[in-house]
Amino acid sequence: MEGITLRRIGEQLDVRPGLISHYFPAVEELVAEAFSSAATGELDTLLPIAGEQDPDSPVRRLSRFFADATGDSYHAVSKLWINARHLSRYRPVLRERVAAQEAAWRERLAGLIQEGVARGEFRTGDPYVSAIRIIVVIDGLAAHANTGNASHPPAVSRMAITTAETELGLREGELDPPADD
């Protein structure tokens, strides 16, 4: 993301950089908007809002989340997050967008957990804290994948699931992807 310039984008799109700057006067705004778009798309795909696109139970939706949040496409988005977090230290517009996206992730996951508590599927005293703990483990695994060593022993690969099962009072294996997926 640090190598993006209005000129390079104009060249890639075969348009004058002035056209790009008409909509995004500073490259920082374009980078922040692109990051927000990618992060929102990832969130809406991995954790759809209940009822909008997904009538499944909270346990099933969380299980599917863990099944979908792995693999090469996940690692690519994880690298984008790592890069955005790093650059946000120096770019105020990006910093605001990263903070907003992190809050959206916490709220969406905490909402799913709260729904699971209300339905009697999850047991936790604080869905928001449980969501943060789960996200911290996911982020840690993403940072490890960014080192180029994306292969983990099974116990490490399953660490986010294990954390979620522990946090939510579930049996081991309860969040494993169903065989029919």
Side-chain angles (χ1 to χ4, degrees):
M1 291 170 39
E2 58 268 49
I4 295 174
T5 66
L6 296 177
R7 175 170 285 165
R8 278 183 66 196
I9 291 175
E11 288 171 1
Q12 291 290 317
L13 297 174
D14 197 26
V15 299
R16 292 179 169 263
L19 179 62
I20 307 293
S21 66
H22 174 73
Y23 296 99
F24 298 97
V27 73
E28 180 179 359
E29 294 172 15
L30 177 63
V31 168
E33 183 63 27
F35 168 75
S36 289
S37 178
T40 297
E42 176 194 34
L43 177 59
D44 289 343
T45 298
L46 293 175
L47 283 173
I49 296 172
E52 274 189 9
Q53 305 162 0
D54 200 340
D56 284 338
S57 73
V59 167
R60 177 122 169 106
R61 291 195 328 258
L62 192 56
S63 174
R64 191 172 51 248
F65 164 76
F66 284 116
D68 292 344
T70 58
D72 292 338
S73 63
Y74 170 72
H75 293 310
V77 174
S78 296
K79 289 176 183 180
L80 176 68
W81 270 96
I82 289 168
N83 192 218
R85 285 179 172 135
H86 169 71
L87 289 177
S88 73
R89 295 171 41 216
Y90 313 104
R91 298 183 180 182
V93 175
L94 183 59
R95 181 174 33 253
E96 291 173 13
R97 299 292 182 90
V98 168
Q101 289 298 323
E102 288 173 338
W105 270 91
R106 287 189 304 270
E107 294 301 323
R108 184 84 55 95
L109 184 55
L112 174 60
I113 294 169
Q114 181 59 48
E115 181 186 345
V117 169
R119 289 185 177 193
E121 294 181 29
F122 301 148
R123 292 173 306 285
T124 181
D126 190 334
Y128 188 75
V129 170
S130 292
I132 291 171
R133 287 179 176 147
I134 293 164
I135 289 170
V136 166
V137 173
I138 291 168
D139 285 347
L141 290 169
H144 187 265
N146 193 47
T147 66
N149 185 11
S151 62
H152 307 291
V156 173
S157 296
R158 198 177 180 289
M159 192 179 302
I161 294 171
T162 301
T163 299
E165 289 169 344
T166 301
E167 280 294 317
L168 303 177
L170 300 173
R171 295 180 322 276
E172 182 179 343
E174 200 165 345
L175 290 176
D176 286 342
D180 62 309
D181 277 357

